[in-house]
Amino acid sequence: MEEQELADRCRHGDNQARKELYERYAGRMFAVCLRYISDRDTAQDLLHDGFLKIFGSFDKFSWRGEGSLRAWIERIMVNMALQYLRKSDVMSVASPLDEVPEVYEEPEPSEVDAIPQNVLMRFIKELPVGYRTVFNLYTFENKSHKEIAQLLGINEKSSASQLFRAKTSLAKKIKDWLKNNG
């Protein structure tokens, strides 16, 4: 079934279309939830809550070409994760990193490409939740610090600082991994 037809049938409450939508996108959306929430059970709950919200919100979806349905669903999932993080007030809990340097040496893209994706995702998952959230929004959702600050209820400087600390931590993990596995 094409994306547009799937969306139209979901809008009209077709349960077979809803089942297909879930089967088609649940795996990818679970990965999106896990990018923000490292606890699998909580991520699974968010995934299900997100799909319930999606099924109830099709009147707000407008078709903008191939890929627009997936993008819309992904936005809803990210918003569900951010809403959970705000409710849990995790952004106000600062997790200090030991000795954060003033500058860090960014790994070469070719070095990063040599690391398996599951290892890189594990490194991101291991970041403190505030750093991980800002890193994900900045890197994967292409949000500016101003937008991140608004989404998370923090100031722009805090967003920039958390991103810097996330990148510093990731750079160190990448260097260590390359030293031991390169």
Side-chain angles (χ1 to χ4, degrees):
M1 189 179 321
E2 293 294 317
E3 221 182 45
Q4 188 171 14
E5 181 190 352
L6 186 61
D8 287 340
R9 287 179 54 193
C10 284
R11 179 179 286 118
H12 292 100
D14 180 328
N15 283 331
Q16 190 58 42
R18 287 177 172 178
K19 182 177 186 285
E20 185 175 328
L21 181 87
Y22 184 86
E23 288 170 354
R24 188 182 293 186
Y25 296 109
R28 182 183 179 96
M29 295 308 129
F30 184 59
V32 168
C33 291
L34 278 174
R35 273 202 324 243
Y36 292 92
I37 314 295
S38 57
D39 176 65
R40 293 184 75 81
D41 290 339
T42 304
Q44 193 74 46
D45 290 346
L46 285 172
L47 175 74
H48 291 294
D49 292 349
F51 270 99
L52 289 174
K53 185 173 179 80
I54 288 161
F55 295 146
S57 301
F58 264 98
D59 56 326
K60 296 181 180 109
F61 172 71
S62 57
W63 175 256
R64 291 189 170 87
E66 201 61 37
S68 62
L69 177 60
R70 193 198 80 220
W72 179 71
I73 291 171
E74 204 165 299
R75 252 192 332 276
I76 290 173
M77 287 298 169
V78 168
N79 287 335
M80 293 294 293
L82 295 178
Q83 188 177 13
Y84 171 82
L85 291 172
R86 279 192 303 268
K87 267 191 203 149
S88 307
D89 203 25
V90 296
M91 295 311 295
S92 66
V93 180
S95 322
L97 274 181
D98 304 331
E99 298 303 309
V100 178
E102 290 299 309
V103 294
Y104 69 97
E105 202 175 311
E106 199 162 311
E108 291 297 317
S110 60
E111 293 176 324
V112 176
D113 289 344
I115 300 176
Q117 185 170 1
N118 64 327
V119 173
L120 288 172
M121 293 313 284
R122 188 185 76 226
F123 290 166
I124 293 168
K125 191 177 177 181
E126 290 169 352
L127 289 171
V129 70
Y131 302 169
R132 183 176 65 236
T133 303
V134 171
F135 180 83
N136 283 330
L137 288 169
Y138 189 86
T139 305
F140 296 112
E141 314 301 335
N142 299 315
K143 300 289 184 195
S144 68
H145 287 300
K146 182 177 184 168
E147 292 169 312
I148 293 169
Q150 289 170 338
L151 284 167
L152 300 178
I154 59 177
N155 67 45
E156 287 180 53
K157 279 191 167 89
S158 180
S159 174
S161 167
Q162 298 227 13
L163 179 65
F164 177 80
R165 288 169 179 243
K167 286 182 171 182
T168 302
S169 178
L170 289 172
K172 183 181 179 338
K173 287 174 186 274
I174 289 168
K175 272 192 186 325
D176 292 348
W177 191 90
L178 289 168
K179 193 167 43 180
N180 296 323
N181 300 284

